[in-house]
Amino acid sequence: MIPETENILEVDKLITSFETDRGLLRAVDQVSFTVPAGKTVGIVGESGCGKSVTAMSIVRLLPQPAGKILGGHVNFRGRDLVRATDAEMRRVRGGEIGVIFQEPMAALNPVHRIGRQVSEVFRIHKKLSKRDAWAAATEMLELVRIPAPEKRMMDYPHHLSGGMRQRVVIALALACKPSLVIADEPTTALDVTVQAEILDLLRRCRDEFGTAIILITHNMGIVADLADRVAVMFEGKLVEEATAQKLFSAPEHPYTQKLLAAVPRIGTGAARAAERKTGREATGTVNTAAPVVIAKDLVIEYPGRFRQVFRAVDGVSFQISPGEVLGLVGESGSGKTTIGRAIGGLTKITGGSLQVLGKEMLGIRERSFKPVRSDIGFVFQDPASSFNPLLTIAECVAE
């Protein structure tokens, strides 16, 4: 184990750029920071500020051929990873540096079962036999709190919910007990109970094995809870770095102050909603229209192997009125996304009743529902798999 006083990673004046149609885009500009062994460094900032590109530059997983490291050094345990060979990087990734990727569906191979993908890490880096690697992989799935891990080992990624896929990616990253873990939004798709367990797992890896962690997240509460130091990025530059206690109590840079001021606080949303409701009542504009969605004893089932049926939604009832926001919460795999897809006409219902904009969804034909689709907007859980990779962003939106 490396002494905690020693830096396991030193990033010095890192410059990463991308070739675009508009010319060279510098995504990371002269970024420098250190990560001591056994410590957690949080990297925060708005979307597009360069957090994930910095992380991918460390492990040399930039999209090719557009992404290039133009300058700087990434010293990991005495080796400059910027100048390491491809063979050396393959040994480092997964074995010495674990990466929790931001988008699990893009990180997992869709044509291989979960068991094969997790056990592969043990076979490559630990040289375990096929049977021992399978047993170790099953144990890792249990460690990240995946229910019935023996059964899930035989599933493909698309069989799992978004939260379960995220836990598989976390299992892949922690499998070989790496000395450094790069966690890029590790709890994005997790419910609060599993999120607490995963954060506790990362904390145990840090405290028991001396694992250093780079934590990239938008959740300032997680940063305050887990990080020892915090680096703030803005437009590709590192604008402020301090201990977590100092940064949250006395931020210096104007952008850091603005970032912390924008953190949502419990109660403020409810107060604004109450004000809007009072205003509508005062002006007599209270909406009395019929509900846009009515679910009554809703049942949704998926066919399984050997004529088995999996009931994802069982007897759910609710309704949504115009202008109303309904929060649907629950742990991963509880059926939240399935209900949303059923409302959007993307998943067939098998029992009960679901009325969407006056259309009964039980047994509805696509021809009957198609005119309603233009009145329904759908924000998908996984952006990477919801866009057509053959189209530009402009073409996707224009379509």
Side-chain angles (χ1 to χ4, degrees):
M1 182 183 296
I2 298 176
E4 287 194 1
T5 54
E6 183 179 339
N7 292 328
I8 193 171
L9 181 75
E10 297 177 352
V11 178
D12 181 35
K13 297 180 180 178
L14 180 65
I15 301 174
T16 302
S17 296
F18 290 92
E19 291 282 354
T20 70
D21 294 336
R22 296 186 295 268
L24 199 65
L25 172 66
R26 184 168 288 194
V28 177
D29 191 2
Q30 300 280 341
V31 167
S32 300
F33 63 92
T34 60
V35 182
K39 299 294 183 181
T40 302
V41 175
I43 303 179
V44 300
E46 62 189 25
S47 297
C49 68
K51 306 185 299 296
S52 296
V53 175
T54 300
M56 294 303 102
S57 298
I58 292 172
V59 288
R60 299 247 307 268
L61 286 177
L62 296 169
Q64 296 297 323
K68 294 180 181 178
I69 299 176
L70 298 184
H73 303 274
V74 177
N75 294 311
F76 173 69
R77 304 181 74 172
R79 291 166 291 176
D80 189 355
L81 299 185
V82 173
R83 289 156 183 80
T85 65
D86 291 341
E88 289 173 331
M89 288 306 303
R90 282 193 292 271
R91 288 192 293 269
V92 168
R93 298 187 204 108
E96 299 179 63
I97 300 179
V99 183
I100 301 173
F101 293 95
Q102 187 174 8
E103 295 178 349
M105 198 61 183
L108 297 173
N109 192 322
V111 300
H112 290 161
R113 299 183 190 274
I114 295 299
R116 174 175 176 177
Q117 298 187 57
V118 180
S119 61
E120 184 180 44
V121 178
F122 292 100
R123 298 194 68 185
I124 292 175
H125 294 286
K126 296 296 185 181
K127 308 301 181 184
L128 298 184
S129 66
K130 188 174 183 179
R131 175 178 295 180
D132 291 342
W134 192 268
T138 305
E139 185 178 339
M140 279 304 304
L141 294 190
E142 186 175 5
L143 189 64
V144 295
R145 308 292 292 175
I146 289 182
E150 297 86 358
K151 179 182 177 183
R152 295 302 183 186
M153 290 280 284
M154 298 302 296
D155 287 341
Y156 290 95
H158 67 272
H159 290 151
L160 305 182
S161 68
M164 286 188 183
R165 287 195 293 265
Q166 182 73 351
R167 279 179 264 179
V168 172
V169 172
I170 293 171
L172 287 167
L174 301 181
C176 295
K177 297 179 181 177
S179 51
L180 173 65
V181 171
I182 299 175
D184 191 357
E185 298 284 358
T187 59
T188 298
L190 303 180
D191 57 83
V192 290
T193 53
V194 176
Q195 175 178 294
E197 292 169 352
I198 293 300
L199 291 177
D200 184 60
L201 179 61
L202 291 174
R203 194 179 289 108
R204 291 205 316 269
C205 287
R206 180 191 64 186
D207 298 340
E208 295 177 13
F209 308 116
T211 303
I213 300 172
I214 297 177
L215 178 64
I216 300 171
T217 181
H218 291 98
N219 192 324
M220 301 302 284
I222 293 176
V223 172
D225 177 49
L226 196 63
D228 298 295
R229 295 188 63 83
V230 184
V232 182
M233 291 190 66
F234 179 61
E235 294 184 348
K237 293 179 168 46
L238 197 153
V239 296
E240 185 171 356
E241 183 180 5
T243 63
Q245 183 177 3
K246 181 182 177 182
L247 188 100
F248 281 94
S249 60
E252 296 179 359
H253 195 276
Y255 174 71
T256 308
Q257 297 170 1
K258 181 180 177 182
L259 191 68
L260 293 177
V263 175
R265 287 167 175 79
I266 294 177
T268 56
R272 287 195 296 268
E275 289 177 6
R276 291 194 296 269
K277 181 180 179 182
T278 302
R280 289 195 298 269
E281 291 174 347
T283 57
T285 57
V286 178
N287 199 328
T288 58
V292 292
V293 177
I294 303 174
K296 187 174 181 180
D297 300 326
L298 177 63
V299 175
I300 301 175
E301 294 177 337
Y302 291 109
R305 290 175 293 181
F306 311 115
R307 296 186 179 180
Q308 293 179 337
V309 173
F310 173 69
R311 179 163 289 193
V313 178
D314 188 6
V316 173
S317 300
F318 62 89
Q319 66 180 32
I320 309 174
S321 300
E324 184 181 34
V325 177
L326 174 68
L328 199 58
V329 299
E331 63 182 22
S332 298
S334 61
K336 307 182 301 296
T337 300
T338 300
I339 291 175
R341 290 179 61 85
I343 293 173
L346 302 176
T347 296
K348 294 183 180 298
I349 73 171
T350 50
S353 173
L354 177 63
Q355 295 181 28
V356 179
L357 300 177
K359 297 282 187 178
E360 173 56 55
M361 302 302 292
L362 183 61
I364 194 171
R365 295 180 177 274
E366 174 62 24
R367 181 182 301 175
S368 302
F369 189 69
K370 189 174 182 180
V372 182
R373 288 193 185 276
S374 60
D375 294 326
I376 300 176
F378 205 117
V379 181
F380 291 94
Q381 184 178 14
D382 191 345
S385 60
S386 61
F387 288 117
N388 188 332
L390 300 178
L391 301 180
T392 65
I393 294 299
E395 288 171 336
C396 289
V397 176
E399 187 182 36

